[in-house]
Amino acid sequence: MTEADLIELARACMLVMLKVAAPPLVAGLVIGLVVSLFQALTQIQEMTLTFVPKVLAVFLTLLIFLPFILHTLMDFTHLVLDRAIAGG
């Protein structure tokens, strides 16, 4: 395996990492922003008000995007194994 192949594999790995992590992170960010605005408007500063909606949003996002995440991870696994077999 050449240096260019390793760089390409590292690039693909980072892209897969972003694809897999983006949906739950974006959901948590959006829900956090909405809850923060709600807390600022109502002056309610309850810790469970920020934690529970974020956990629920991340959980639901993972359930919704699970097929996409699994497909992305399977494609990456096939890519890595194909390169390992071709290089060996």
Side-chain angles (χ1 to χ4, degrees):
M1 196 174 250
T2 66
E3 192 174 308
D5 290 336
L6 289 175
I7 291 172
E8 176 63 26
L9 191 60
R11 186 192 66 79
C13 182
M14 288 184 198
L15 189 62
V16 166
M17 202 169 34
L18 285 174
K19 284 182 182 180
V20 168
L25 287 176
V26 169
L29 179 70
V30 169
I31 294 298
L33 181 64
V34 169
V35 169
S36 294
L37 287 173
F38 177 75
Q39 284 182 325
L41 291 173
T42 61
Q43 297 293 321
I44 298 173
Q45 299 299 323
E46 179 65 32
M47 290 304 294
T48 56
L49 187 62
T50 60
F51 181 73
V52 174
K54 283 184 191 178
V55 169
L56 290 176
V58 169
F59 181 70
L60 287 174
T61 303
L62 286 174
L63 284 177
I64 292 168
F65 284 96
L66 189 62
F68 167 74
I69 291 170
L70 286 177
H71 182 71
T72 302
L73 290 174
M74 284 175 39
D75 286 346
F76 180 70
T77 303
H78 286 265
L79 173 75
V80 170
L81 292 176
D82 288 343
R83 288 192 181 195
I85 291 170

